[in-house]
Amino acid sequence: MEILGATLRICVDDLDTAIPFYESLSGGTAQRFQRGGVQVAAIGSFLLMSGPEEELEILRKVAATIAVKDVDEAHRLLTGLGARIIAGPVPTPVGRNLLAMHPDGSVFEYVDQRG
């Protein structure tokens, strides 16, 4: 499995207030979208999320988002190593993702940019 990078997931109270700080910090421009009831801004290596507390509570359990070349390959490797697939692979606006719980109990999102 080829890991292309990782994104830090940060839950914020006010996305509009947080975006300028992270844009200045990373030198990037926010790419905004909505996933369910959560507003999201991707800025460089940061993924800012804001929304109802009941949805953020679930999102806080995911340690990080790992970009991979192929989510299907990640699924096979993770399963073979004893990880438990919680959800996915499922389509996203830019590719596919899955949620996996590693044997140590940590939860990660794996994403690719394939259709």
Side-chain angles (χ1 to χ4, degrees):
M1 170 179 70
E2 185 176 347
I3 295 176
L4 305 174
T7 302
L8 304 171
R9 301 165 61 92
I10 304 166
C11 295
V12 299
D13 291 331
D14 184 340
L15 202 61
D16 292 326
T17 301
I19 285 174
F21 173 83
Y22 286 95
E23 284 181 331
S24 295
L25 183 64
S26 70
T29 301
Q31 303 295 319
R32 294 181 71 150
F33 58 95
Q34 185 167 335
R35 187 81 189 243
V38 177
Q39 296 292 320
V40 181
I43 310 166
S45 294
F46 300 100
L47 189 66
L48 308 180
M49 300 172 287
S50 182
E53 185 56 37
E54 59 273 7
E55 292 191 48
L56 294 179
E57 182 180 338
I58 295 165
L59 295 173
R60 283 188 182 100
K61 294 178 182 179
V62 179
T65 298
I66 310 287
V68 295
K69 189 171 184 178
D70 183 348
V71 162
D72 292 328
E73 181 182 355
H75 184 278
R76 285 188 297 275
L77 180 61
L78 289 162
T79 302
L81 292 172
R84 182 168 64 90
I85 305 304
I86 298 170
V90 297
T92 71
V94 295
R96 298 171 302 151
N97 77 343
L98 66 81
L99 290 177
M101 180 181 290
H102 293 185
D104 63 9
S106 57
V107 178
F108 291 88
E109 175 187 35
Y110 289 82
V111 301
D112 68 20
Q113 293 187 352
R114 296 176 45 170

